[in-house]
Each structure stands twice: as C-alpha cells, then as structure tokens.
Amino acid sequence: MEKKLQQFLDICMEDARNRSSNIFHEYSSALKKDLEKHKTDARRQAAMQIQNEEEKIRRELNKELAIGQINSKRTISLRHDELKEKIFIEVKDLLEQFMETPQYLALLNSYIEGAKAIAGEDEVIFYLDPADSEKIHSLSFQNQVGIRVSQYSFGGGLRAVIPSRNILIDHSFDTRLHEERQAFLFQIGGKSNG
C-alpha cells in the first residue's frame, strides 16, 4: 500500500510539475506578447512625439523666419524712405539753383508759349511763384502777356488758367516733385523696389 501511495504521490507530483510548467510557459508567453505590444506602442508614441516636436520646431522656425523677413523689409523700407527724402531734398536744392539760371527763364517762356497755343484766342491768366516776382516784367514784355504773382508758393515754374474752358495748366515744380515722389522707385540689381 505504501508503494502504491508512493507511486500515486510520484504521479501526482509529476502531473503537478507538468501543469506548473505549462502554466509557467503560457504565462511567460503572454508576458512576452504584452512586452512586445508595450514596446511597439512605446515606439509608436515616441515616433509620434518626435514628429510632433519636429513639426512644432518647424513652425517656430517658420514663424521666426517670417518675423525676420518682416523686420528686414521694414528696415529696408525705412532706409528707402530716408534715401528718397535725401534725394528729393537734393533735387529741391538743384531746382533752386536752376531757378537762378537763364535756362529757367527760357523754360518759363516755353511754358507761356505752350499755354498761349492751347488757349488760342481765349483769355489766359498766368501765375508766377512769389519767389519769381522779379521776373514778371521781363516775361510779360517778352511774351506780350499779363502775369500775376500767385498768393501761394508752388516752388517755381508757372501756372496758367483758361477761365472760359475751366482749364488749369500746372507747370509748377511742387506738383512735378509730388508726382515724381509718388512714382519714385529704387532700382536695385535690375529690379524695382517701391
């Protein structure tokens, strides 16, 4: 009986060892699958996080680049405005020097002749800038027309009015300078920059 009990015990122990080994292998296999799934999920999350961070950095760089470009354009624009102002100050000075030359008187004479041609037989009223008031007598005598001194300075040149046709012929330097200032563009490397 003791032998049978020992044999039964040995069979039970062997069966328990086999079951325990099977349970251990199943549990180990399940743990390995969970570990692999966890690794795959962790890698995917890490890749997504890296991609999100790269996108965030790219957006920040693009934003900084855009801000830098805006600041550069603003600086260039301000510098263009400064240079444009200097250029037109120099032009104004050159015009003032030109107004003291005989060529300026010839230019005024051509303006008067042109206005007379446009008016034909109609009355023309000529206006000179107050700074040119000393030129009225010689211009009036040369062209056989009446010329008035304008109440307002217009930087030199001449204005003529044909009242019967409501025409203003404006050859004033201030108007020309204003038009040129509005149309002025810098030419850099063959491309215009306004």
Side-chain angles (χ1 to χ4, degrees):
M1 180 96 161
E2 211 167 290
K3 200 175 178 182
K4 285 186 180 181
L5 271 171
Q6 185 61 38
Q7 196 177 13
F8 179 72
L9 181 64
D10 288 344
I11 291 172
C12 285
M13 289 303 284
E14 184 66 29
D15 186 49
R17 276 190 220 114
N18 285 339
R19 278 195 220 167
S20 137
S21 178
N22 286 341
I23 291 171
F24 175 77
H25 286 300
E26 286 175 11
Y27 188 70
S28 176
S29 177
L31 284 177
K32 284 180 183 176
K33 286 180 185 176
D34 285 348
L35 178 63
E36 288 304 315
K37 184 180 179 215
H38 178 72
K39 284 181 181 178
T40 303
D41 288 346
R43 285 187 192 114
R44 190 176 70 245
Q45 285 179 349
M48 286 174 55
Q49 188 174 2
I50 288 170
Q51 185 178 0
N52 289 341
E53 287 298 317
E54 286 175 349
E55 188 62 35
K56 181 180 174 184
I57 290 169
R58 199 175 350 234
R59 279 193 309 268
E60 287 175 9
L61 286 175
N62 286 341
K63 181 180 174 183
E64 288 177 21
L65 179 64
I67 289 171
Q69 287 175 336
I70 289 169
N71 288 337
S72 294
K73 286 181 181 180
R74 184 179 299 130
T75 301
I76 289 170
S77 177
L78 289 173
R79 187 66 180 138
H80 280 181
D81 290 346
E82 289 172 10
L83 291 174
K84 183 177 176 178
E85 191 60 34
K86 284 182 181 180
I87 289 170
F88 279 93
I89 287 171
E90 286 182 33
V91 168
K92 185 89 169 153
D93 289 344
L94 291 172
L95 279 175
E96 288 173 5
Q97 292 173 22
F98 173 71
M99 290 169 63
E100 301 300 322
T101 66
Q103 290 85 3
Y104 177 57
L105 236 108
L107 180 67
L108 293 176
N109 281 320
S110 70
Y111 288 160
I112 291 170
E113 289 301 318
K116 284 170 55 177
I118 292 171
E121 296 296 318
D122 293 335
E123 174 193 16
V124 183
I125 304 169
F126 295 98
Y127 293 96
L128 272 184
D129 189 88
D132 293 329
S133 60
E134 78 282 352
K135 296 175 179 73
I136 286 180
H137 297 297
S138 65
L139 288 169
S140 292
F141 180 74
Q142 250 180 322
N143 295 288
Q144 298 299 308
V145 293
I147 300 175
R148 301 177 186 174
V149 175
S150 174
Q151 290 180 328
Y152 307 101
S153 176
F154 45 82
L158 180 99
R159 286 185 174 157
V161 176
I162 305 172
S164 62
R165 292 196 244 163
N166 288 330
I167 295 177
L168 169 66
I169 301 169
D170 189 356
H171 292 293
S172 67
F173 289 172
D174 281 351
T175 299
R176 293 285 168 95
L177 280 173
H178 177 73
E179 290 169 355
E180 288 300 320
R181 186 184 298 266
Q182 295 300 317
F184 185 81
L185 296 174
F186 278 99
Q187 296 288 330
I188 300 174
K191 296 180 180 178
S192 66
N193 297 302

